Amino acid sequence: MTKYSVIKLRAFQFTSITYRLVFACLMAAVVIYGGSYYQMRSLLQQVMTGWVKQIAMSKLDAIAAKHQSSLHLLAEQASRLVQTDERLYLADQNGLTVILPVSPYVSKIAISSDIKAKDQSFGWQVDTKGQSWQSIASDDELLKSCSVVNGQHYWSRHIRTQELVFCTGWFMHGQATQSIAILINMQPLLQDLQSNLHLIDEVDHSVQGHPYVKNQLTGNFMLRSEFIPQDISTRSAEGAGEGGSIHFKRQLQDMPLVYGFYFPEAEFQAYLGKYFMIMIFSMGKDMLLMCIAIALVSRQTTRSLRSLSKSTEEIAQGNLDTELTKIPRSDEVGRLSRSFRRMRDSLKLHILELQEATAARQRMESELAIAAQIQQAMLPSAEAAIDPRYSVSTLLQPARVVGGDLYDFFHVADERICMVIGDVANKGVPAALFMARTLSLMRTLAHQSSSPAALLFAVNRELAHNNPECRFVTMFFAMLDLKTGLLQYASAGHDAPLLFRDGQVSKLVLETGPALGLEEEASFPQFEIRLLAHDIVVMYTDGITEARNLDNEEFSEARLQTTITRQAPAFAADIIRCVTLAHQQFIAQAPQFDDLTLLSMQFHPQAKRRKPAFADWQISLNGQPLVYDQVRPCLAGLLQAQQVSEDVVDDLQLITEEVLVNVLTHGATDKDPASIRLDVHLQESAVVLDVTDNSHAYNPLHGVNEPDLEVDFADRPEGGLGLYLVSALADQIEYHYAHGQNNLHIRKFLVKP
């Protein structure tokens, strides 16, 4: 969508329902009236044309009939006059008036008679007041305009435009006895036609349309305005004429006169446009009134909604005690108000319950965190292996805060160590409690048992007794004689460990007994094997081998053996690291459903015995002496007090641990116990960590590259995965050796640049 389109859309976003409704009303009017504009104009033109035609034709017919009747009456009176056989009677004014009353249409009468006196003629004209006849001399010119044949009457033209001559005569025995010529004055008729044959505009009272009269004897117009074409009489005349004009005409019966009405196109379109605009104005006024009515009704309807909106904004800001406006109505607005009221009350109750649940969950999480710390404290760390004739590396990663897997290793005699790994059924707090009980029994009864089978038998009887929930744990237990290398072991439903010897991986021969806690008198077969120098025993739980990826593929025991074989690790810790990395790459984003536990032990029969390793190290953090286990929490407390983010704190803890393990593993010698000094400096944009030790010169960064899991461990440069992890987490890292000390300068930015 373009920026211009977004601007147009925003222009039609209204802040009020009232505005939206009014706008919709106006748009509907525009669409409806705009779409029907030509239809309305065409319909109006048809209606107006029909109306004009009806009115004009009715007036034209009425006037034509009236004039035709008057002229016909005059013709009948003239016919009776010419048949009178008393010439003296006609010469008398009173006698003439009886037969031919004074008419406004008659201007002059010429009479020729030979009944009494041959070739005598005389004439009459209307007096100046138009009330009587006045005798005049014989009008030969008027008589000459008539030529009566066989007593027929007809109309003749006159020299003046607005006058006609009516001619008639009386014949006896084939000879004319009397003839009369009557001069008709058309002026009154034309005035009557002009006064009545038109339309009156009701808006401005103007006169519309133009009448005309044409004399067919002369071909001239007796009445015509300038808007009437000269050839009007030759055009068609029943309704609409050419170009949108309106034209009607009537031929007077037995008379040489044509009456017509003409409405020019320009005048008619102006006349039509005037009424069309009146119609548009009327509809616009109605639409405006409708929009006003909609606006008033909408504002009245939305007044309660506006009040309700303000109250809900208060609720949205957390003020659940705000008072909602009461709307005592049964329509949608009233129901909405009552629904909001119920929602507010339910929300208050829900928040109260949520607060209580949150507090309870926080207490539970706190208790679980404490339980997890206690559980971790119960398990020995790899550094607890104080005898140089063996080394141990471990991993325990619960699926929840606390888990049910367990491992342990401890001395039961000067030359014997015990190793145990187990998996409690189910997970969570109950499993963790059962695991704690099992570890406690193992350590207590191990000193009283002479063999792994005897120990498992004693622990099983204690766990199975008074176990109504039928909780159980699978376990592998082994005893190693450090002097002879003899490894004795037994299993209670647990998978057989792996033995890594001379680059090959194999499973220990094993026949397992039932899980601990199910049968009080169960027995557990015991096996033994003699370890050689540098042999590594790998113990694991099914959380490793039964883990699944997003494609529901299982990691499997075969994949575990293949991973160890390909990597050919040289140390026990390397097995833990390569298996963990391969496992993480395999499951990828799939969730963890079970606890993950690994324990690897490597036998070093030729190593000399020395004091516990950590007792030889002198560790200090910013000048404060510490033991190894105190370094991580002290570092975290120091950084958190300076408001350093949790992510940076976690990274620095991991970096510090890997650096210390590297120095402890590779930098110390029996002849030269090392001391380690940690100095932490908080700068404006970074945390600087300086690690100094006085062991022999050793550059931990030499040859540190991204690990390739396809390459054998023996072919990798010294430093391994741990130092690569340090290089990946640190933003800057430098090493130098001076004055008999190794110096490692590490910088971690507070915010990524």
Side-chain angles (χ1 to χ4, degrees):
M1 184 178 292
T2 63
K3 181 178 180 182
Y4 179 69
S5 301
V6 172
I7 294 175
K8 290 198 298 183
L9 288 176
R10 288 179 179 174
F12 291 100
Q13 293 178 355
F14 300 97
T15 59
S16 172
I17 296 177
T18 301
Y19 299 154
R20 186 177 291 110
L21 290 175
V22 172
F23 177 78
C25 176
L26 294 176
M27 289 302 297
V30 171
V31 171
I32 294 173
Y33 293 159
S36 59
Y37 173 83
Y38 293 103
Q39 290 85 348
M40 288 191 299
R41 188 175 181 88
S42 176
L43 179 61
L44 180 64
Q45 183 168 354
Q46 294 177 11
V47 172
M48 293 295 292
T49 302
W51 178 77
V52 170
K53 176 180 178 181
Q54 182 179 2
I55 299 298
M57 287 185 64
S58 62
K59 287 189 174 184
L60 179 60
D61 291 340
I63 295 174
K66 183 178 70 171
H67 290 186
Q68 182 173 290
S69 176
S70 299
L71 293 177
H72 280 180
L73 178 60
L74 181 62
E76 291 175 0
Q77 292 172 346
S79 297
R80 288 198 305 269
L81 178 62
V82 78
Q83 296 175 16
T84 302
D85 58 357
E86 293 293 336
R87 181 177 181 276
L88 294 177
Y89 181 77
L90 293 175
D92 181 46
Q93 178 180 352
N94 293 328
L96 180 61
T97 302
V98 171
I99 299 175
L100 187 64
V102 175
S103 172
Y105 311 130
V106 179
S107 299
K108 187 183 296 185
I109 299 175
I111 301 174
S112 174
S113 177
D114 56 358
I115 297 176
K116 297 297 183 180
K118 189 178 181 179
D119 297 331
Q120 289 187 359
S121 63
F122 53 90
W124 297 92
Q125 69 177 10
V126 180
D127 63 12
T128 55
K129 294 182 180 181
Q131 296 179 354
S132 61
W133 295 104
Q134 186 176 5
S135 175
I136 59 173
S138 175
D139 193 339
D140 296 333
E141 182 180 354
L142 181 58
L143 289 173
K144 291 178 181 179
S145 62
C146 293
S147 177
V148 180
V149 180
N150 295 328
Q152 295 181 354
H153 61 266
Y154 63 91
W155 297 88
S156 177
R157 62 185 179 181
H158 195 261
I159 58 174
R160 286 188 288 271
T161 302
Q162 295 183 349
E163 290 181 339
L164 282 175
V165 177
F166 179 74
C167 302
T168 186
W170 175 253
F171 280 71
M172 293 182 66
H173 307 292
Q175 294 183 355
T177 57
Q178 292 187 118
S179 61
I180 298 178
I182 301 176
L183 182 63
I184 306 300
N185 182 12
M186 293 295 296
Q187 187 64 33
L189 297 176
L190 298 179
Q191 290 178 353
D192 179 57
L193 180 66
Q194 193 167 16
S195 299
N196 295 289
L197 187 55
H198 55 68
L199 302 177
I200 302 297
D201 191 344
E202 298 296 335
V203 177
D204 55 7
H205 303 287
S206 60
V207 176
Q208 304 292 332
H210 305 280
Y212 70 89
V213 177
K214 188 170 185 179
N215 187 344
Q216 290 183 317
L217 297 176
T218 62
N220 296 326
F221 286 95
M222 303 181 76
L223 176 65
R224 171 182 170 272
S225 69
E226 61 182 4
F227 299 101
I228 298 177
Q230 286 286 348
D231 60 344
I232 189 66
S233 61
T234 63
R235 298 185 182 183
S236 62
E238 290 295 328
E242 296 119 346
S245 60
I246 298 177
H247 176 212
F248 303 103
K249 62 182 180 179
R250 291 291 181 268
Q251 171 74 49
L252 271 65
Q253 185 179 2
D254 298 332
M255 297 180 186
L257 297 177
V258 176
Y259 280 19
F261 176 81
Y262 182 70
F263 206 149
E265 178 188 5
E267 290 186 10
F268 181 71
Q269 292 299 325
Y271 184 62
L272 178 66
K274 186 188 303 182
Y275 278 90
F276 186 72
M277 292 307 298
I278 292 174
M279 184 179 68
I280 292 295
F281 176 77
S282 178
M283 291 190 298
K285 177 188 65 177
D286 296 340
M287 183 57 65
L288 179 61
L289 292 176
M290 185 171 63
C291 290
I292 293 174
I294 290 175
L296 292 176
V297 173
S298 175
R299 286 187 63 84
Q300 181 66 25
T301 303
T302 58
R303 180 181 301 169
S304 301
L305 289 177
R306 291 193 296 272
S307 176
L308 190 61
S309 175
K310 292 180 181 179
S311 300
T312 53
E313 288 177 0
E314 292 288 331
I315 294 176
Q317 294 175 1
N319 184 12
L320 297 181
D321 295 325
T322 186
E323 185 64 27
L324 291 174
T325 304
K326 294 184 179 179
I327 305 176
R329 290 158 54 177
S330 58
D331 58 5
E332 290 84 352
V333 178
R335 292 195 295 271
L336 179 63
S337 174
R338 291 188 289 275
S339 298
F340 267 107
R341 190 179 302 277
R342 290 192 296 270
M343 180 195 69
R344 181 201 60 183
D345 297 339
S346 299
L347 191 59
K348 289 175 65 176
L349 180 60
H350 177 71
I351 290 178
L352 181 60
E353 294 175 349
L354 185 61
Q355 289 173 345
E356 295 176 353
T358 301
R361 185 174 64 253
Q362 289 176 346
R363 288 193 300 270
M364 181 178 295
E365 289 176 353
S366 176
E367 293 172 357
L368 287 175
I370 295 173
Q373 293 176 2
I374 295 174
Q375 185 182 38
Q376 290 293 333
M378 294 177 65
L379 302 175
S381 63
E383 289 75 13
I386 60 176
D387 197 304
R389 290 175 291 180
Y390 74 96
S391 59
V392 175
S393 185
T394 60
L395 168 71
L396 176 58
Q397 183 176 318
R400 299 180 183 175
V401 179
V402 292
D405 282 9
L406 61 93
Y407 72 85
D408 199 359
F409 60 92
F410 51 89
H411 283 255
V412 293
D414 194 31
E415 298 292 337
R416 297 173 67 190
I417 63 169
C418 296
M419 295 170 288
V420 60
I421 190 169
D423 184 1
V424 179
N426 295 324
K427 296 176 282 294
V429 174
L433 294 176
F434 197 73
M435 165 263 199
R437 184 186 177 198
T438 303
L439 282 178
S440 177
L441 288 172
M442 293 292 298
R443 281 186 174 263
T444 301
L445 298 177
H447 294 280
Q448 305 173 11
S449 303
S450 59
S451 66
L455 176 64
L456 291 180
F457 179 83
V459 172
N460 175 66
R461 188 159 57 179
E462 291 294 331
L463 293 177
H465 179 68
N466 194 19
N467 183 19
E469 296 87 1
C470 291
R471 296 191 180 277
F472 63 91
V473 55
T474 65
M475 182 175 290
F476 177 85
F477 182 81
M479 285 185 179
L480 174 63
D481 189 326
L482 295 175
K483 187 175 182 179
T484 64
L486 181 64
L487 180 69
Q488 296 177 315
Y489 56 90
S491 173
H494 203 83
D495 293 333
L498 303 178
L499 175 64
F500 182 66
R501 174 182 288 177
D502 297 331
Q504 299 296 322
V505 177
S506 61
K507 293 180 65 174
L508 294 180
V509 177
L510 182 65
E511 181 181 347
T512 182
L516 302 181
L518 296 178
E519 304 176 19
E520 285 193 33
E521 301 300 325
S523 61
F524 304 92
Q526 180 172 303
F527 299 85
E528 62 182 35
I529 186 174
R530 192 172 300 277
L531 298 182
L532 304 179
H534 308 300
D535 282 355
I536 302 176
V537 178
V538 182
M539 308 175 192
Y540 60 90
T541 61
D542 58 6
I544 298 291
T545 56
E546 294 180 2
R548 294 182 179 272
N549 59 18
L550 294 176
D551 296 327
N552 202 32
E553 298 175 340
E554 193 174 73
F555 186 76
S556 75
E557 183 180 296
R559 193 184 301 272
L560 174 62
Q561 295 184 30
T562 302
T563 300
I564 297 175
T565 302
R566 287 181 178 177
Q567 301 305 316
F571 306 101
D574 294 335
I575 286 186
I576 300 298
R577 291 177 182 175
C578 73
V579 171
T580 302
L581 182 60
H583 185 270
Q584 291 177 347
Q585 290 177 345
F586 176 78
I587 65 173
Q589 302 299 322
Q592 178 183 342
F593 292 105
D594 201 358
D595 302 335
L596 307 178
T597 306
L598 283 169
L599 186 150
S600 63
M601 185 279 296
Q602 188 172 26
F603 184 46
H604 309 286
Q606 303 301 323
K608 297 181 180 179
R609 182 171 179 169
R610 57 183 174 85
K611 295 181 180 180
F614 281 89
D616 294 337
W617 295 101
Q618 299 176 5
I619 305 174
S620 64
L621 176 62
N622 286 0
Q624 178 184 357
L626 299 172
V627 296
Y628 177 84
D629 291 338
Q630 294 176 329
V631 174
R632 283 177 63 98
C634 288
L635 178 63
L638 179 65
L639 296 176
Q640 289 171 354
Q642 300 298 323
Q643 304 299 319
V644 178
S645 68
E646 290 295 331
D647 292 340
V648 176
V649 172
D650 293 341
D651 290 348
L652 285 171
Q653 284 183 300
L654 187 55
I655 290 171
T656 303
E657 182 177 13
E658 291 295 338
V659 170
L660 287 178
V661 169
N662 183 73
V663 174
L664 296 175
T665 303
H666 302 289
T669 64
D670 291 336
K671 296 181 180 179
D672 184 14
S675 64
I676 305 174
R677 185 178 76 249
L678 302 174
D679 295 303
V680 180
H681 310 283
L682 181 61
Q683 299 180 350
E684 182 178 355
S685 60
V687 177
V688 176
L689 175 64
D690 289 314
V691 183
T692 305
D693 67 82
N694 62 353
S695 65
H696 65 277
Y698 171 71
N699 183 6
L701 303 181
H702 179 70
V704 176
N705 298 310
E706 183 176 359
D708 186 356
L709 297 181
E710 301 298 327
V711 178
D712 292 340
F713 255 84
D715 298 333
R716 294 183 184 176
E718 192 171 358
L721 297 176
L723 290 176
Y724 171 74
L725 183 62
V726 172
S727 300
L729 293 177
D731 293 308
Q732 295 177 0
I733 183 168
E734 299 175 357
Y735 168 81
H736 68 276
Y737 184 84
H739 308 294
Q741 291 184 329
N742 296 295
N743 296 279
L744 201 60
H745 183 77
I746 302 171
R747 181 182 296 273
K748 178 69 176 178
F749 291 121
L750 297 176
V751 179
K752 285 293 183 182

